[in-house]
Amino acid sequence: MSTTTMDAKTAILARARDAISRSQQGRPVRPIPRDYIRSTEHAPGSDAVIEEMIETLEDYSAQVVVVSKESEVTDAISKFLAGQKATSVVVPTGLDEAFKKAAAREGRTVREDSREKAIPTLELDEIDAVVTRCRVAISLSGTIVLDGEPDQGRRAISLVPDTHVVVLKASDIVPTVPQAVEILGKNPTRPMTWIAGGSATSDIELVRVNGVHGPRFLRVVIVK
């Protein structure tokens, strides 16, 4: 184990012991340091942040397209679904109507889902793809976060279908995790789903298996 790791472990345990001691003695616990690293070099949604987001997503085998017009967004959604040979799509009820229509192109069946009218899990398992918005994204880690709002829907619809198409506004891409947590912290009770590429895992022999914990395929439309 490295010296750095040992030092960090020692510091954490020391803080824990100090907090327990202060609590037992009725003394106030010291404030927890919150001086997390934040990027000041690049603004959210800047070209550098978008480029980093694309590079990181592609490292996870996700496919990404950047568009600037409403018509290009709907075309990109339709092309991604066609590329996956999807014939059925689930969408949250609060998704943009134009996106729902794009999902329905080429004869695809579209079903809307909400907490009030949830599609049963076994039926959801038969649906090929899902289209959602998202709350925020992190370029450093290539992470996309959903928080259960009407344009993102229940967690189940983003975990069960084989393909997930996400529409992401460039202005919602921040450089670092602390910056994303600040945004998510405004509504801390919402159910969050953190996505970094298609779902994958490997066994003890390092044989990669896709789609174990969620969609195997992630397709992202970034709107500048």
Side-chain angles (χ1 to χ4, degrees):
M1 187 175 293
S2 68
T3 303
T4 302
T5 304
M6 286 295 294
D7 289 346
K9 180 179 179 181
T10 300
I12 291 170
L13 292 176
R15 287 178 185 175
R17 284 191 293 268
D18 179 64
I20 293 171
S21 174
R22 286 174 172 271
S23 176
Q24 290 173 343
Q25 296 174 25
R27 295 185 294 161
V29 177
R30 293 173 182 171
I32 299 173
R34 300 292 185 186
D35 52 342
Y36 305 119
I37 296 174
R38 291 168 171 78
S39 174
T40 56
E41 182 179 358
H42 301 297
S46 62
D47 288 343
V49 169
I50 293 172
E51 289 174 9
E52 183 178 49
M53 186 73 191
I54 294 171
E55 181 179 356
T56 315
L57 282 171
E58 290 179 343
D59 280 344
Y60 295 142
S61 300
Q63 292 183 15
V64 187
V65 63
V66 180
V67 302
S68 57
K69 299 178 181 178
E70 181 79 9
S71 60
E72 294 175 333
V73 179
T74 54
D75 288 345
I77 291 171
S78 182
K79 287 179 181 178
F80 274 146
L81 293 172
Q84 295 301 114
K85 296 181 171 56
T87 59
S88 56
V89 185
V90 59
V91 297
T93 54
L95 189 68
D96 310 56
E97 290 299 323
F99 299 170
K100 294 177 184 177
K101 291 179 181 178
R105 290 182 191 176
E106 302 180 26
R108 287 183 288 267
T109 300
V110 174
R111 297 185 63 180
E112 294 190 25
D113 182 274
S114 67
R115 293 186 183 88
E116 295 73 25
K117 295 184 179 180
I119 299 173
T121 304
L122 290 178
E123 293 181 27
L124 197 58
D125 190 42
E126 299 297 322
I127 297 177
D128 298 324
V130 57
V131 180
T132 73
R133 284 275 195 176
C134 80
R135 175 58 55 222
V136 68
I138 306 159
S139 65
L140 179 65
S141 59
T143 305
I144 295 172
V145 187
L146 282 62
D147 68 357
E149 283 299 277
D151 58 354
Q152 299 153 63
R154 297 185 302 128
R155 296 189 72 214
I157 68 171
S158 65
L159 295 175
V160 178
D162 211 32
T163 297
H164 188 179
V165 179
V166 180
V167 180
L168 168 60
K169 290 192 294 185
S171 58
D172 289 335
I173 306 174
V174 298
T176 66
V177 173
Q179 289 168 286
V181 170
E182 284 181 355
I183 294 171
L184 297 167
K186 296 175 183 178
N187 299 282
T189 60
R190 290 179 182 173
M192 300 177 192
T193 305
W194 294 57
I195 302 165
S199 171
T201 188
S202 61
D203 60 20
I204 195 171
E205 295 180 350
L206 300 182
V207 176
R208 182 183 174 92
V209 179
N210 295 329
V212 176
H213 309 295
R216 288 189 296 164
F217 307 105
L218 178 63
R219 304 291 182 256
V220 183
V221 183
I222 298 177
V223 188
K224 296 186 67 173

